[in-house]
Amino acid sequence: MECTNPLYKNQGIHTVNAIFTIEDAKLKVLLIKRSNEPFKDMWALVSGAIYNNETFEDGTSREIYEKTGLQNIKTKKFEVYSNLDRSPDMRMLGIANICVINCEKVNIIKQTRNTYDANWFDIIDVPTLAFDHSKIFIDAVNYLKEQIYKNDMVRALLPNEFTIPMLQCVYEAVLNTTYDRRNFSKKVLGLDLLKDLKKQEELAGKKPAKLYAFKANINDKKII
Amino acid sequence: MECTNPLYKNQGIHTVNAIFTIEDAKLKVLLIKRSNEPFKDMWALVSGAIYNNETFEDGTSREIYEKTGLQNIKTKKFEVYSNLDRSPDMRMLGIANICVINCEKVNIIKQTRNTYDANWFDIIDVPTLAFDHSKIFIDAVNYLKEQIYKNDMVRALLPNEFTIPMLQCVYEAVLNTTYDRRNFSKKVLGLDLLKDLKKQEELAGKKPAKLYAFKANINDKKII
DNA sequence: TCAAAAGTGTTGACATTACACCCATGG
DNA sequence: CCATGGGTGTAATGTCAACACTTTTGA
């Protein structure tokens, strides 16, 4: 239906997505290069406008798909940005998401209707971003650190079958720290969180590690 | 500026506020009674539409003030509700806040332009609410439990000068549990969080407790 | 002098940390 | 047979939970 109250009219809603992965034991964020004004040729988080006839979640999935080709991404809203001048064209309220993904599973599309490059950036090498995305990016990293203990986030960063050293690597990359290998292993196994798959990874030049999977329907337990 | 893209037009933004306090050692939420359609005569959370020319934070403060008379309330966004049918008049995206307040400091206005009653409800006695506010209320309580360890939330629920038993009462009311008085006290004092004001409360029939205040610029520390 | 509630100290249980040794693999 | 990295055990330390007694106040 048509909006008649002039006080409410002309408000748009942006979905802004900080998409993270772990690659080479480093926390990385997905950036796209804009091919249109405003902020043409600048790197940006994956973002776009929500349509009238879709929920925020549906619009977010659509925007991520259109700009990267990614599907079925786990997202978590974490902040709202409502400065009146955050977008030069019209009043766009920005709702920001953390998204986490196992980058081995996916292929990023680099050229789309509004973008002409896409890449994973180590979070310490992120350039200045379009709009207010630099601020959103910093907030996203901090939020991710706070929330990484949630099992579904950790799950999304790992393949379905993984080893305990891989799990440790996720924690160390996100929290930018190190843990003792033996204590980490002991802690995780004691939480009754993992299913022993009775299989081993196949790798060269070292003792292969055991493969595990998360048990189904586990409540969040803090590993660290 | 005018919005021309029909895909984005006609989206309104609601601020929906679950305002909590501790009264009689119980966690309570502030509800208002609606005097207009839709949902006339039903209880609701404190909510309203954000205007084009104000930030979300400013619009939230304005709505809370207009519907309750309250000012300077600490708010924290926690969720976005975007079902297409959540408001019968037009597409209204709802952004929900947790708000916390020390009810001793304030006076609630019961009659306003759109409401004709307002009251604190023990969270176990909350009736069915207007719009999707019942769902939002439940999410708010859960979020508050998750976040109560943040110092600024606890601060907002207490007067400027408070005793350790009062602090313990806040935790017990929010988390619906009990703690050992001696262990709680020991833990809090060991965190270097509080300033001893070298004063005592003045109360009848019992040993008066020492008064404390939070130290300035303290990072969040989990008491429990 | 009594009831009510606050302050403090000790102990055992449990969790976390630090650290050393052995094992399996591919080259 | 060696380099790499995974698996496991133990002792020291730190944190948390349970619990008893004393203190201060107003009535």
Side-chain angles (χ1 to χ4, degrees), chain A residues 27-212:
Chain A
L27 182 62
K28 299 192 176 182
V29 66
L30 182 60
L31 300 178
I32 54 163
K33 206 158 193 174
R34 294 176 59 83
S35 53
N36 296 327
E37 294 293 349
F39 300 102
K40 187 168 181 307
D41 299 325
M42 284 188 78
W43 292 98
L45 298 174
V46 177
S47 65
I50 301 294
Y51 298 160
N52 296 320
N53 61 349
E54 64 188 356
T55 64
F56 179 75
E57 289 75 17
D58 290 344
T60 295
S61 299
R62 177 185 52 72
E63 276 294 337
I64 292 174
Y65 178 68
E66 286 179 3
K67 293 215 165 68
T68 68
L70 296 171
Q71 285 180 294
N72 298 321
I73 294 195
K74 175 127 330 225
T75 71
K76 176 85 184 75
K77 295 172 278 260
F78 72 95
E79 189 52 291
V80 173
Y81 299 86
S82 68
N83 274 353
L84 297 176
D85 59 356
R86 60 176 297 281
S87 177
D89 290 340
M90 66 173 283
R91 197 266 161 91
M92 293 298 273
L93 182 132
I95 301 176
N97 294 300
I98 299 285
C99 314
V100 284
I101 196 176
N102 175 15
C103 68
E104 288 178 15
K105 293 181 189 163
V106 300
N107 252 326
I108 308 293
I109 294 174
K110 300 219 170 199
Q111 309 260 343
T112 72
R113 197 158 56 87
N114 296 304
T115 69
Y116 67 92
D117 199 2
N119 242 314
W120 292 108
F121 283 72
D122 187 322
I123 63 160
I124 65 170
D125 297 325
V126 169
T128 301
L129 302 178
F131 300 99
D132 52 356
H133 291 192
S134 288
K135 160 83 171 128
I136 295 176
F137 163 69
I138 292 168
D139 293 346
V141 172
N142 291 329
Y143 188 79
L144 180 61
K145 288 182 184 179
E146 271 183 34
Q147 298 287 312
I148 189 57
Y149 69 90
K150 302 235 169 171
N151 292 327
D152 58 351
M153 284 228 187
V154 180
R155 240 176 248 243
L157 284 165
L158 288 165
N160 296 332
E161 304 189 344
F162 56 89
T163 66
I164 290 180
M166 286 162 74
L167 179 62
Q168 181 174 351
C169 176
V170 167
Y171 275 85
E172 292 184 343
V174 170
L175 300 175
N176 191 30
T177 184
T178 56
Y179 297 107
D180 181 272
R181 185 171 52 86
R182 298 153 287 194
N183 294 331
F184 187 89
S185 169
K186 211 182 324 165
K187 182 76 185 287
V188 172
L189 291 174
L191 290 174
D192 190 36
L193 214 55
L194 303 183
K195 195 165 40 197
D196 186 343
L197 298 177
K198 310 286 182 195
K199 293 194 285 183
Q200 295 185 334
E201 62 178 351
E202 293 172 24
L203 276 177
K206 63 177 184 66
K207 176 173 176 177
K210 286 191 199 170
L211 285 167
Y212 292 87

Side-chain angles (χ1 to χ4, degrees), chain B residues 94-130:
Chain B
I95 300 176
N97 293 299
I98 298 285
C99 314
V100 283
I101 195 177
N102 174 15
C103 68
E104 288 177 13
K105 293 179 185 164
V106 301
N107 251 324
I108 309 293
I109 294 175
K110 300 221 169 193
Q111 308 259 342
T112 74
R113 196 158 55 87
N114 297 305
T115 68
Y116 67 93
D117 199 1
N119 243 314
W120 293 108
F121 283 71
D122 187 321
I123 64 159
I124 65 170
D125 296 326
V126 168
T128 301
L129 302 178

Side-chain angles (χ1 to χ4, degrees), chain B residues 7-216:
Chain B
L7 286 169
Y8 310 163
K9 251 180 15 182
N10 302 315
Q11 314 198 61
I13 295 158
H14 265 155
T15 174
V16 184
N17 299 277
I19 305 177
F20 290 102
T21 198
I22 309 281
E23 195 180 42
D24 305 330
K26 292 198 171 78
L27 182 62
K28 298 190 176 183
V29 65
L30 182 59
L31 300 178
I32 54 164
K33 205 158 193 177
R34 295 176 58 83
S35 53
N36 296 328
E37 293 294 347
F39 299 103
K40 187 169 182 306
D41 300 324
M42 283 188 79
W43 292 98
L45 298 173
V46 177
S47 65
I50 302 294
Y51 297 159
N52 296 319
N53 62 349
E54 64 187 355
T55 64
F56 179 75
E57 289 73 17
D58 290 344
T60 296
S61 298
R62 178 186 52 72
E63 276 294 336
I64 292 174
Y65 178 69
E66 286 179 2
K67 293 214 165 69
T68 68
L70 297 170
Q71 285 180 292
N72 299 320
I73 293 195
K74 172 121 344 215
T75 71
K76 176 84 184 72
K77 296 172 276 262
F78 73 95
E79 189 52 290
V80 173
Y81 298 86
S82 68
N83 274 354
L84 298 177
D85 59 354
R86 59 175 298 282
S87 176
D89 290 341
M90 67 174 282
R91 197 266 161 90
M92 294 297 275
L93 182 131
I95 300 176
N97 293 299
I98 298 285
C99 314
V100 283
I101 195 177
N102 174 15
C103 68
E104 288 177 13
K105 293 179 185 164
V106 301
N107 251 324
I108 309 293
I109 294 175
K110 300 221 169 193
Q111 308 259 342
T112 74
R113 196 158 55 87
N114 297 305
T115 68
Y116 67 93
D117 199 1
N119 243 314
W120 293 108
F121 283 71
D122 187 321
I123 64 159
I124 65 170
D125 296 326
V126 168
T128 301
L129 302 178
F131 300 100
D132 53 357
H133 290 192
S134 288
K135 160 83 170 129
I136 296 175
F137 163 70
I138 292 168
D139 292 347
V141 172
N142 290 330
Y143 187 79
L144 180 61
K145 287 183 183 178
E146 269 184 32
Q147 298 286 313
I148 189 58
Y149 69 89
K150 303 235 166 166
N151 292 326
D152 58 351
M153 283 229 188
V154 180
R155 241 176 249 245
L157 284 165
L158 288 164
N160 295 331
E161 304 188 345
F162 57 88
T163 66
I164 291 180
M166 285 162 73
L167 179 60
Q168 180 175 350
C169 176
V170 166
Y171 275 85
E172 292 184 342
V174 170
L175 299 175
N176 191 29
T177 184
T178 56
Y179 297 108
D180 181 271
R181 186 170 52 86
R182 297 151 289 192
N183 294 331
F184 187 89
S185 169
K186 215 181 320 169
K187 183 79 183 289
V188 172
L189 292 173
L191 290 174
D192 190 36
L193 213 57
L194 302 183
K195 196 165 44 195
D196 186 342
L197 298 177
K198 309 286 185 194
K199 292 193 284 183
Q200 296 184 334
E201 61 178 351
E202 294 173 22
L203 277 177
K206 62 177 186 67
K207 177 171 175 178
K210 288 190 197 172
L211 285 167
Y212 292 87
F214 281 103
K215 290 188 177 178

